[in-house]
């Protein structure tokens, strides 16, 4: 068969979003899912599995028929799990998940034991790697049906308010677009909690200094010009792509599969650094972080105590949301879920507000586990997002 273009692949994945939203609503309402939606997901899975597989990954094409190899593990496996769930039900899915992850049932038990029958004042959770499996590309990291159903049940039964706090963009290929759970079940926030959609769907954001915003706008315009040059489009399509967030812009220079020749990737990285220097010659406004895959251009913030400029972190996000959304986190136990060091600041912020905070971290890394335990000795750890999500679903019926 003719190979698929990368943009056509994104089209296929985006077409599953409305289908999955309807299926999720149907299951939550205890209706039998309409067969048409399930058939659409099956066709999508078949289309993805028909993409030629080579040692470097599935082969798609870019402009001018240049090949690009991508790992479609997330997209394919989440569709398979959805089909197990939709065709054969929840017990069959849990069986499937237990077969995929060693220690799955023990992890589910451990979370259930820790959460007990608590009804939480607020759930604040990271998304990717925590309550959603990792995907190499944000733009195709569509939430699966089983995931949306499980999380929504917990949000409705066990928490007064539930917030998804991510560093990803909020919309324009952001969290709100990839989310399949029903409107209002979760407050979707982006950019480490600096922007969110309120329960009526209105955008709200952390105040930002006008001079800083003007600099960021200028930087974004210059970056758009660079990316419009021939041959640069690839950086918007691989990995994290171009993500314009509140107070931060991310541009991919590589993806996990190493789709871009390393020399080309390095050269592009240098071009972006030069561009930032031209906009901000004295390093007053921005700091660049190079993850090896992404270049993150961050606006620095003044410390609340008037201290040195630093980056806005997810703990700042929790404090902002607690005030702006009137979460009243101080008035009851809260639950914090994360999977990386950047999520620890959410736990600290929650503990400052609500000493009864509980935490689940999805990590096998001893160092991170220790950091979390130092803050909260009773924190519980699991190895996979699926275990946390299944446990949340299980406890929503207590
Ligand atoms: Mg994460």
């Amino acid at each position: 068969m003719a190979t698929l273009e990368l943009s056509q692949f994104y089209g296929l994945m985006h077409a599953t979003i409305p289908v999955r939203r309807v299926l999720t609503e149907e299951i939550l309402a205890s209706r039998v899912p309409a067969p048409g939606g399930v058939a659409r997901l099956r066709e999508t899975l078949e289309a993805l599995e028909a993409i030629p597989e080579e040692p470097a990954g599935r082969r798609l094409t870019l402009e001018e028929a240049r090949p690009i190899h991508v790992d479609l593990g997330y997209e394919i496996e989440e569709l398979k799990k959805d089909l197990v769930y939709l065709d054969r039900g929840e017990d069959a899915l849990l069986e499937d998940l237990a077969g995929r992850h060693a220690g799955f049932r023990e992890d589910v038990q451990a979370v259930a034991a820790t959460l007990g029958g608590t009804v939480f004042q607020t759930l604040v959770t990271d998304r990717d790697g925590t309550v959603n499996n990792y995907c190499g590309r944000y733009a195709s990291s569509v939430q699966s049906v089983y995931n949306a159903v499980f999380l929504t049940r917990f949000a409705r039964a066990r928490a007064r308010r539930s917030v998804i706090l991510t560093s990803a963009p909020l919309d324009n290929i952001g969290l709100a677009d990839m989310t399949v759970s029903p409107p209002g079940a979760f407050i979707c926030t982006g950019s480490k909690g600096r922007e969110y959609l309120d329960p009526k769907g209105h955008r709200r954001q952390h105040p930002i200094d006008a001079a800083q915003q003007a600099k960021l706008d200028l930087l974004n315009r210059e970056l758009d010009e660079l990316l419009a040059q021939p041959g640069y489009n690839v950086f918007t399509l691989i990995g994290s792509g171009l993500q314009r967030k509140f107070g931060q812009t991310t541009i991919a220079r590589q993806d996990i599969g190493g789709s871009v020749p390393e020399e080309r990737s390095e050269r592009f990285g240098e071009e972006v650094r030069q561009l930032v220097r031209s906009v901000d010659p004295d390093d007053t406004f921005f700091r660049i972080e190079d993850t090896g895959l992404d270049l993150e251009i961050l606006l620095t913030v003044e410390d609340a105590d008037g201290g040195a400029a630093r980056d806005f972190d997810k703990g700042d996000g929790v404090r902002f949301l607690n005030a702006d959304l009137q979460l009243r986190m101080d008035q009851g136990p809260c639950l914090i879920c994360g999977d990386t060091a950047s999520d620890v600041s959410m736990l600290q912020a929650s503990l400052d507000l609500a000493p009864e905070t509980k935490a689940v971290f999805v990590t096998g890394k001893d160092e991170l586990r220790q950091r979390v335990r130092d803050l909260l000795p009773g924190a519980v750890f699991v190895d996979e997002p699926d275990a946390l999500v299944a446990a949340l679903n299980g406890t929503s019926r207590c």
Side-chain angles (χ1 to χ4, degrees), residues 126-132 134 165-167 314 337-343 362:
D126 167 61
R127 181 195 190 235
D128 299 285
T130 301
V131 291
N132 206 92
Y134 262 120
L165 200 163
T166 79
S167 55
K314 285 178 148 187
C337 304
D339 79 307
T340 57
S342 64
D343 299 321
V362 184

Side-chain angles (χ1 to χ4, degrees), residues 146-165:
Y146 77 91
N147 184 283
V149 170
F150 285 7
L151 292 177
T152 301
R153 282 183 183 150
F154 182 85
R156 288 180 175 172
R158 297 293 302 277
R160 279 189 60 252
R161 304 291 289 279
S162 296
V163 176
I164 300 197
L165 200 163

Side-chain angles (χ1 to χ4, degrees), residues 270-284:
E270 191 43 48
E271 286 173 282
V272 173
R273 275 186 280 271
Q274 253 168 35
L275 187 153
V276 174
R277 273 197 293 273
S278 73
V279 173
D280 180 27
D282 306 323
D283 298 334
T284 312

Side-chain angles (χ1 to χ4, degrees), residues 377-393:
V380 62
F381 301 93
V382 299
D383 285 328
E384 300 288 340
D386 282 339
L388 171 55
V389 170
L392 295 177
N393 178 56

Side-chain angles (χ1 to χ4, degrees), residues 20 24 74 78-79 82 132 142-149 178 180:
R20 282 169 148 160
T24 299
Y74 173 86
E78 292 302 298
L79 280 166
D82 264 356
N132 206 92
V142 179
Q143 186 180 20
S144 40
V145 174
Y146 77 91
N147 184 283
V149 170
M178 297 299 133
V180 164

